[in-house]
Every structure is written in C-alpha cells, then in structure tokens.
Amino acid sequence: MKVLCIGDIMGEPGRRAVARMVPRLVAKHRIDVVIGNGENVAGGFGITPELAEELFGMGLAAITTGNHAWDKKEILDYFPRERRLLRPANYPEGVPGHGSVVIQTAAGEELGVLQLMGRAYMPALDCPFQVAKRELARMRKRVSAVIVDMHAEATSEKMAMGHYLDGEATAVVGTHTHVQTADEQILPRGTAYLTDIGMTGPLHGVIGIKKDLAIEKFLTGMPRRFEVASGPTVFSAVLLDVDARIGKALSIERIRILD
Ligand code: FE2
C-alpha cells in the first residue's frame, strides 16, 4: 500500500498546491491513500467544515490537525460528526472529535491514522506517549498498519516518540514546524520515521506568513495580525510503502516540490 502524507497545508496557496500535485503524484506513484494536516487551511489558522470537505474532495482520506484545530468556531460541531477529521488523541476526555480513524482503500485494505500532539513548547495536554501506547494497542486489534502524525514543536520529543513506538506503529511522521527535515529513515524495529514533513504553502514567507508581518512582530514584540504569504509554493509530503498485512513500512521517501 502506497501512502502519501502531506505536511501542514497553509491557506489558499497550500490548498491550490494540493489540488495541483495530488492527482499527479497519485498517478505517478500509484498511491492508494492520501492524508494531510489541515489545521492551517483557513487563512493560516484553523479549518472550517467547507474547507475540510474541499480537502476530502481533493482525495484526502483523512485530515489531521493540532494546536490550531479549534481556531474556527464553526468546526466545533463538525468534529464529532466527521470521523475522518482528527484532533490530537491526547486532548482530555470530553473534548469534541476523535484522535484516530481507520480508513479503507479502494482495494479494500485498511489503514489506521492516529494523531498526537507534543507538550514541549505546546499547550499542556495528556501525556502523548501513554496515550499513543494505549491507542495503538486498541487500534491494532483491528488493523495492522497505523500511521502516527506527531504534531509537535521539539525535534527531540518527536524523535523520542518515533523510537518509543518503533515496531508498533507503521510510521511516525511529524508536523507543525512547517520546515521539512532530512532525517527520513526506517528505525531498527521497522517503523518509518521523519521528524517533520514540512509545509505545503507559500515558499517565501516566515513559515507561511507574510514575511514583513512576521519580522515586524519580532522587531516590536507587539501582537500583529498575520496573513498568509503569496508567491511561489512548496509542496511537502512523505511517501510510504507499507505492507498492510503485517503493518510494516517497506520504504520512506521525502517529497519537496517547488512550484
Ligand atoms: Fe501546529
């Protein structure tokens, strides 16, 4: 099973890049499942039901989020209704939505997707490590292959999660920093790993935001209303080849296309 995981899709430029690149990549690599992080699709902050539907319409089988999951209030009622839209599984009990989903490919194979969020330089949540073990054990009673989106700031926390789940998760891939790392690897017990997939969105901004606004905020220390940058885009993703029967990753390949 070929799985394409797209990194944080940033605003309209990011959505347009997904619309352009996904059909090409699916045809070229015979991809079975596409998933992506959609917490920045609504003008850089959050996601709306309409934009989630737009991404599903572009072929995404599941959408992960993170700390920006709740930025748009209209998404709150949508989360419990749409199983394919995930928020981190380590939010406390009672928070709307789901942290994992099992999706089916056109060929009838199943793939689990589990979303977690780190705690280093991030909002305080339940322990992602304990939640990951518990959720993976539960999911793997039904499905062998599970991809984990570890939405986190700190490289070390993501790498620790990769090794903690090595041999249990099919892949642990990171999102949130918007900058792709070059450390893709198969860990010793068979889990595919990449610290951060990187952003799909404007290339010449500060992690997708208009550079002048971001620079001004750093210069003054004052709050600034951010807007998504424009211009050339970068499409960032990772391609996994997965043996869905045994849940093992066969290969991991980084994708970064300037467009
Ligand atoms: Fe984030």
Side-chain angles (χ1 to χ4, degrees):
M1 181 194 296
K2 296 274 187 73
V3 183
L4 183 73
C5 308
I6 305 169
D8 302 51
I9 303 161
M10 185 76 181
E12 204 217 345
R15 302 197 310 269
R16 277 193 278 111
V18 170
R20 274 197 309 278
M21 297 310 307
V22 164
R24 284 187 226 171
L25 290 169
V26 165
K28 181 177 171 193
H29 298 285
R30 301 180 179 210
I31 290 165
D32 300 287
V33 180
V34 183
I35 63 173
N37 186 289
E39 71 157 9
N40 302 123
V41 289
F45 299 91
I47 183 166
T48 63
E50 292 73 25
L51 292 176
E53 300 286 341
E54 189 179 316
L55 292 179
F56 290 134
M58 290 177 195
L60 271 70
I63 302 170
T64 58
T65 57
N67 51 308
H68 289 296
W70 323 106
D71 288 4
K72 297 284 181 270
K73 64 179 187 310
E74 55 269 44
I75 204 68
L76 287 179
D77 294 340
Y78 186 77
F79 260 111
R81 283 190 280 129
E82 181 46 82
R83 285 283 334 197
R84 298 172 296 171
L85 178 65
L86 302 181
R87 46 80 172 160
N90 53 320
Y91 269 100
E93 284 274 332
V95 167
H98 301 91
S100 64
V101 66
V102 175
I103 50 186
Q104 235 180 16
T105 68
E109 288 184 305
E110 289 192 321
L111 175 73
V113 182
L114 170 62
Q115 163 110 69
L116 301 166
M117 191 155 88
R119 296 191 293 186
Y121 312 109
M122 301 286 284
L125 292 182
D126 293 347
C127 175
F129 293 86
Q130 291 180 20
V131 171
K133 281 273 174 171
R134 192 181 67 217
E135 283 297 300
L136 263 182
R138 188 183 61 77
M139 293 174 80
R140 294 203 62 190
K141 287 180 185 157
R142 170 172 170 193
V143 61
S144 302
V146 179
I147 310 284
V148 176
D149 174 355
M150 176 64 174
H151 194 80
E153 188 75 48
T155 303
S156 55
E157 194 176 17
K158 291 163 155 171
M159 208 170 271
M161 183 65 79
H163 284 288
Y164 188 61
L165 301 182
D166 187 14
E168 292 181 49
T170 306
V172 176
V173 289
T175 56
H176 177 71
T177 69
H178 292 204
V179 178
Q180 189 175 78
T181 56
D183 59 338
E184 73 276 21
Q185 59 194 288
I186 304 286
L187 298 175
R189 296 195 193 111
T191 295
Y193 176 80
L194 176 68
T195 296
D196 205 292
I197 302 173
M199 176 191 67
T200 290
L203 180 63
H204 295 149
V206 175
I207 61 170
I209 296 294
K210 280 186 180 167
K211 59 188 175 186
D212 295 344
L213 302 178
I215 291 167
E216 195 184 316
K217 185 178 178 190
F218 280 108
L219 282 173
T220 65
M222 291 168 66
R224 197 76 182 79
R225 196 179 165 81
F226 282 160
E227 292 167 37
V228 177
S230 53
T233 55
V234 56
F235 178 90
S236 303
V238 68
L239 179 62
L240 303 164
D241 193 0
V242 171
D243 185 330
R245 285 174 304 111
I246 57 169
K248 288 283 178 215
L250 305 173
S251 68
I252 176 166
E253 182 188 335
R254 244 179 331 115
I255 294 175
R256 186 170 187 268
I257 302 168
L258 304 186
D259 194 12

